[in-house]
Amino acid sequence: MNPATLGIAAEFVRSGIEKAGIPLTDTLEAYLSITFARFLQSEIRVDMLTVRITRAMDERAPRDTMRALADECLIATAFFGGRLRRAGAIRHYVAMGQMTYDAADLTEQAYGFVHMRDVIASAAETEETEDRRVLLDQARAGSQTAREELASENVVIGPWAKPSGGLIWRRQ
């Protein structure tokens, strides 16, 4: 990785922080910038992500392997949500990423996974309106930006509401 690539990635992350309105710790911002820079120069393997993570867990893979899988999960949930959704809900992949960072002893990254995902997804976001089902899936996975967008339309996500799935519409 060269300094120019890292600079591009760091600027991308800073723009995502600004767009999403989600502050990251210095550690998470630096980690996310380095991770994104690495993926700018490599192939992202979205296929069979759950299977690869499960195998690594079963085999008690080394820390570096677990970190790399968690990084792939982070990038995949931010950029390839539509492809992942064909095999399951985004919250499944968010949980897998958090669990894999935890297995790699990267506790701050595990807890900050959703925020890091929101930051890079916001940086890459276009002006197109997101499908409501996608927003609901992202909100259920813990995405603050998805929850705020739904709240602006008076939709709140929570486990307490009926019908099942936790949706309620607030009165105006």
Side-chain angles (χ1 to χ4, degrees):
M1 169 181 353
N2 63 45
T5 303
L6 186 55
I8 290 166
E11 186 58 36
F12 184 79
V13 169
R14 280 192 288 281
S15 75
I17 289 171
E18 188 176 306
K19 279 174 121 176
I22 298 173
L24 296 178
T25 65
D26 291 341
T27 303
L28 288 181
E29 183 177 342
Y31 185 87
L32 187 55
S33 297
I34 291 167
T35 300
F36 185 63
R38 264 191 298 109
F39 279 98
L40 284 174
Q41 300 174 341
S42 65
E43 180 181 346
I44 299 169
R45 296 175 44 210
V46 177
D47 296 326
M48 297 183 56
L49 195 52
T50 301
V51 172
R52 290 187 293 125
I53 290 171
T54 303
R55 283 183 185 153
M57 292 283 190
D58 288 346
E59 295 168 359
R60 291 182 173 31
R63 184 175 186 229
D64 287 346
T65 301
M66 299 306 283
R67 182 200 45 79
L69 285 167
D71 290 347
E72 281 185 62
C73 206
L74 175 64
I75 297 297
T77 57
F79 293 107
F80 304 106
R83 189 168 175 183
L84 292 176
R85 252 182 240 95
R86 287 186 242 151
I90 287 296
R91 63 181 175 264
H92 163 78
Y93 294 100
V94 167
M96 292 293 287
Q98 290 172 318
M99 176 183 64
T100 309
Y101 274 134
D102 193 45
D105 293 324
L106 294 167
T107 305
E108 188 172 359
Q109 285 79 357
Y111 281 103
F113 187 96
V114 173
H115 298 302
M116 290 191 299
R117 184 232 161 261
D118 280 356
V119 163
I120 54 177
S122 292
E125 194 173 75
T126 62
E127 294 300 315
E128 293 178 21
T129 304
E130 196 77 64
D131 180 339
R132 294 298 156 234
R133 290 172 296 186
V134 172
L135 278 175
L136 291 171
D137 186 32
Q138 291 172 353
R140 287 182 181 123
S143 170
Q144 190 63 34
T145 55
R147 286 175 185 237
E148 287 172 5
E149 189 169 336
L150 289 169
S152 72
E153 298 173 13
N154 292 324
V155 178
V156 180
I157 304 291
W160 60 85
K162 301 285 183 207
S164 63
L167 289 181
I168 61 171
W169 279 262
R170 292 189 291 185
R171 292 184 182 168
Q172 293 193 27

